[in-house]
Amino acid sequence: MKPQWTGALALAASAVAAVALAHNGAMGVVLERMNGMTAMRDTVAVLAPMMQGAVPYDAFAVSEGAGVIAGHAGETMLSLFPEGSLEGVTHARPEIWSDWQDFADLAKELKTYADAFAEAAPNGLEPAPQPRGGMAGMDHSAMAMAPEPEANRRFTVAELMGYGDKTPEIPVARGASNPAMLAVDLTTLAANDLFTRISATCSSCHSRFRAGRT
Amino acid sequence: MRPLRGLPWRGGAPLDTPFGTFVPPNITPHSVAGIGGWTIEDFAKAVRQGVSPEGEPYHPVFTYSFYAGFTDQDIADLWEAFRTVPPVAEKAPEHDVGFPFSFRSGLKLWRAAYLDAPDTDALMGTSSPWNRGRLLVEGAAHCAACHTGRTLGGGLDEAARLAGNDSLPGGSKAPSILAAELIGRGWTVASLTYALQSGLLPNGDAFGGSMAEVVAQGTSYLTDVDRAAIATYLLDPEGRGAIPTPTLPPTDTRMVAWIIRRWI
């Protein structure tokens, strides 16, 4: 066995041990979903500096990380929350099942954004350029100008006061509506825009359905 | 973050506190159900002093004590912004607060005991971001309202300012945001600035609880400069101009997990 594999396996063993310790008492689907959440959290931690431009952008790593998130989102996530699975150590709140549709919408929203994130990985930190030519006669209303990066956006008074929609080319932000109904092609967005939407979806879900943590 | 249910400013979700249940009122510009009949002077008195147009003190669940330092321009800007909101004719339900807390005149005693204007004046020898951060943290952002425990009388426990609060309305908790503890948990100006925009912690977790709402409905709308100012002040509240670099928390396994995925 190559030394690097030995090292990697040793790291894997210690990671498994760390997970087991961290989830002391969790078993079955509870443990499985905690492991999924941990995998997504670790992926987000690695990608976040890249999304801020603090470390060099790596499209392959972004695509791979997006795949990790997508793999734990949507129906996969929902299948790990059978009704009333609150036994042992869990951060799940019973509202998951009383408000199941909302929970399911968030899980699916996460999958939609993560899938788009994987496809948009080559875009980098800028929206995909508009294709040249061949656009005559098309309805451009859903393909408006590329949105401003989230951190630099200027908001209207209506947006700031909470009664106005976000800028028209971004009809959804912070989990505000069903992304499947979007007029904009998510895969044309900058990768960091999608990453922001993913983190907002996570926060939205945690605030409603996760107990005991801020 | 999903928008709060209902029309904006028509009255918010009830707050369960040890003193009773408080319902944020309708503050749309509706002339009867909201604040449409107010003057800008009424508005200024309500926001900066916590006194209604009828001269009654507001319950301190309205965090007016943090807004005492708002300038006339701040008030004018807020007033104009509120006047653009679509009016809603529906009045919010009344508070459900038992005696003696329903007795508003008694709040004058509370004000005498606890009401202090925040100290937000610029401090000689400190940086511009630091001063801006102090203005926001101690004032408009009212971080202490959640991150500081309360005394039996409902005032802020100044001896443990920003040291966390395990008894927020609704049963949630706010952790300590004292500089040493933030640094111990791995926060830097850059990561805290980013968290206030994105809701992400340095370990990749996403805020839940009330802080998710604070980011989604509040700090994500700030400029990056203001978010960095908040982070600068919180991590260096004494204004020394130097912030220690945190070491990675020992429980942080993200690099291990990432390395494993890349190798296996």
Side-chain angles (χ1 to χ4, degrees):
Chain A
M1 186 179 286
K2 291 180 182 176
Q4 64 265 38
W5 285 103
T6 310
L9 288 173
L11 283 170
S14 53
V16 168
V19 166
L21 283 173
H23 299 150
N24 188 20
M27 297 171 64
V29 288
V30 175
L31 178 60
E32 209 174 328
R33 70 197 186 206
M34 279 183 169
N35 287 342
M37 297 291 175
T38 303
M40 288 193 286
R41 184 200 70 185
D42 290 343
T43 302
V44 167
V46 171
L47 295 183
M50 217 179 280
M51 296 301 134
Q52 300 167 73
V55 301
Y57 188 86
D58 178 345
F60 178 75
V62 171
S63 177
E64 195 180 50
V68 170
I69 297 169
H72 290 289
E75 294 296 338
T76 305
M77 182 184 286
L78 296 177
S79 71
L80 297 177
F81 286 88
E83 185 153 13
S85 53
L86 289 166
E87 66 278 4
V89 178
T90 177
H91 296 294
R93 294 174 65 167
E95 284 82 357
I96 287 173
W97 296 282
S98 59
D99 300 332
W100 178 256
Q101 191 55 53
D102 288 350
F103 182 69
D105 285 349
L106 285 164
K108 290 170 188 169
E109 181 177 294
L110 182 63
K111 177 80 162 66
T112 302
Y113 285 144
D115 284 341
F117 188 37
E119 282 200 54
N123 298 351
L125 304 182
E126 299 289 337
Q130 295 290 323
R132 289 184 185 180
M135 303 289 284
M138 287 182 66
D139 177 7
H140 293 195
S141 60
M143 307 180 72
M145 288 172 59
E148 185 83 1
E150 190 75 9
N152 302 328
R153 299 240 335 266
R154 291 284 180 267
F155 299 100
T156 65
V157 171
E159 287 170 353
L160 290 169
M161 296 303 286
Y163 62 86
D165 289 336
K166 308 292 278 186
T167 36
E169 62 271 24
I170 316 176
V172 60
R174 302 183 180 83
S177 65
N178 180 0
M181 302 298 288
L182 282 175
V184 67
D185 178 1
L186 290 172
T187 62
T188 64
L189 298 179
N192 54 331
D193 188 334
L194 286 159
F195 186 73
T196 298
R197 290 160 192 255
I198 286 171
S199 59
T201 304
C202 294
S203 265
S204 195
C205 196
H206 290 175
S207 69
R208 291 189 61 189
F209 300 116
R210 185 173 75 174
R213 299 167 83 170
T214 51
Chain B
M1 186 77 193
R2 285 169 191 283
L4 301 178
R5 290 188 174 90
L7 297 166
W9 309 106
R10 62 161 287 281
L15 283 169
D16 292 321
T17 77
F19 306 98
T21 301
F22 293 92
V23 184
N26 179 337
I27 50 173
T28 70
H30 192 274
S31 58
V32 178
I35 61 173
W38 289 18
T39 64
I40 190 171
E41 289 80 11
D42 292 334
F43 183 73
K45 194 164 73 167
V47 172
R48 290 196 292 215
Q49 299 170 37
V51 176
S52 77
E54 293 76 32
E56 287 190 323
Y58 289 119
H59 288 98
V61 69
F62 168 36
T63 50
Y64 58 84
S65 62
F66 293 90
Y67 311 144
F70 280 8
T71 64
D72 289 350
Q73 186 64 56
D74 292 334
I75 293 292
D77 291 344
L78 280 171
W79 177 244
E80 286 305 314
F82 272 103
R83 279 157 55 91
T84 69
V85 174
V88 178
E90 183 189 351
K91 256 190 175 297
E94 296 294 320
H95 301 319
D96 181 11
V97 182
F99 186 83
F101 306 114
S102 57
F103 184 58
R104 286 211 188 202
S105 295
L107 288 168
K108 290 173 182 170
L109 293 173
W110 187 94
R111 293 167 65 90
Y114 295 113
L115 186 58
D116 282 316
D119 195 0
T120 55
D121 290 342
L123 200 63
M124 188 70 81
T126 54
S127 69
S128 174
W130 187 91
N131 279 302
R132 177 70 177 165
R134 182 162 81 146
L135 183 75
L136 292 168
V137 168
E138 305 293 354
H142 62 283
C143 304
C146 287
H147 289 277
T148 301
R150 299 271 169 177
T151 64
L152 285 176
L156 292 176
D157 180 2
E158 291 295 343
R161 192 171 182 82
L162 301 181
N165 183 357
D166 287 343
S167 312
L168 285 181
S172 60
K173 301 175 181 179
S176 167
I177 51 170
L178 291 171
E181 298 199 32
L182 287 174
I183 292 164
R185 296 203 296 269
W187 290 101
T188 62
V189 170
S191 63
L192 191 46
T193 301
Y194 184 62
L196 293 172
Q197 182 226 322
S198 66
L200 290 178
L201 285 78
N203 71 352
D205 196 3
F207 283 134
S210 309
M211 196 60 199
E213 197 175 302
V214 167
V215 171
Q217 308 294 334
T219 56
S220 63
Y221 287 90
L222 298 179
T223 63
D224 231 18
V225 170
D226 278 349
R227 284 188 286 258
I230 290 174
T232 301
Y233 176 74
L234 285 174
L235 291 167
D236 178 24
E238 306 297 326
R240 294 193 180 103
I243 299 171
T245 305
T247 53
L248 203 61
T251 53
D252 199 324
T253 57
R254 69 184 191 270
M255 288 311 293
V256 174
W258 187 250
I259 290 165
I260 291 166
R261 275 198 296 279
R262 300 290 295 224
W263 278 78
I264 298 179

